[in-house]
Amino acid sequence: MIILNIKINGIIYSADNSLNYDHIHQLVQENTYDSIGDAIFSKISDSIHQSEWYQYTPQKFDLVENFNQVQAICNQNLDCYADSLNWSIMNKTELTSDFYKFITQRIHVVKQGFTDNFLPDYIDLHAIMDLIDWHFILDCVSWFI
C-alpha cells in the first residue's frame, strides 16, 4: 500500500491508492500563490482585514443616506453632525474609509488607554479631550486625502 502525505499550509493530507487527485490538485491551487509578491500581498491584506480597526464601521451614520437616523443619534450636537458628514465623505472609497476607521479607532484606543493607565480617577478625561477639536483633525486629514 502506497501512502501519500501532502502538507499544505500546515495541514497534512494523507491518502492511499483511492486518492482523488482532482481534489488534491484543487487544494494545491487554492492554497498556493503565483509569486512571492502575491503571497506577501495576501498575508498583508489578510492581516489588515482581520485587524480590530478594520472591523469598526459606524452603523447608519451616513448623513446623506440616513439623515433621520443621524438626527436621532446626534440630536442637537453639531460635532456629531460634523463627524457624520466626515464619515459620509470618506466612506465613498475603500481607501478613505479605511483611513477614517483607522483614525477613529486609534483615537479611541489612545483615549481609553490613557484613561485606564495614566489618568488619576479624580480628573475627567472627557472634559480635557473636549478641549481638542478632533473633528478639525479629521477634516484636515480628509482634505489631504
Side-chain angles (χ1 to χ4, degrees), residues 10-57:
I11 300 171
I12 297 177
Y13 297 95
S14 297
D16 55 11
N17 293 337
S18 65
L19 176 65
N20 181 352
Y21 288 102
D22 291 331
H23 178 67
I24 292 295
H25 187 264
Q26 180 183 0
L27 287 172
V28 169
Q29 282 185 330
E30 290 174 356
N31 292 295
T32 58
Y33 303 102
D34 294 331
S35 66
I36 292 176
D38 191 27
I40 292 170
F41 177 77
S42 177
K43 294 295 182 184
I44 291 172
S45 177
D46 289 346
S47 65
I48 288 173
H49 290 155
Q50 293 173 2
S51 66
E52 186 178 332
W53 65 265
Y54 190 81
Q55 304 303 321
Y56 170 77
T57 302

Side-chain angles (χ1 to χ4, degrees), residues 33-90:
Y33 303 102
D34 294 331
S35 66
I36 292 176
D38 191 27
I40 292 170
F41 177 77
S42 177
K43 294 295 182 184
I44 291 172
S45 177
D46 289 346
S47 65
I48 288 173
H49 290 155
Q50 293 173 2
S51 66
E52 186 178 332
W53 65 265
Y54 190 81
Q55 304 303 321
Y56 170 77
T57 302
Q59 296 179 348
K60 298 181 182 178
F61 206 59
D62 193 325
L63 186 64
V64 177
E65 293 176 5
N66 300 313
F67 180 75
N68 292 332
Q69 286 87 354
V70 171
Q71 192 174 21
I73 293 169
C74 294
N75 199 4
Q76 299 296 322
N77 187 348
L78 295 178
D79 289 336
C80 181
Y81 283 107
D83 191 32
S84 175
L85 181 62
N86 283 336
W87 172 245
S88 301
I89 293 168
M90 295 186 80

Side-chain angles (χ1 to χ4, degrees), residues 132-143:
I132 300 171
D133 190 0
W134 296 106
H135 301 290
F136 176 72
I137 293 171
L138 282 174
D139 285 339
C140 291
V141 169
S142 67
W143 278 106

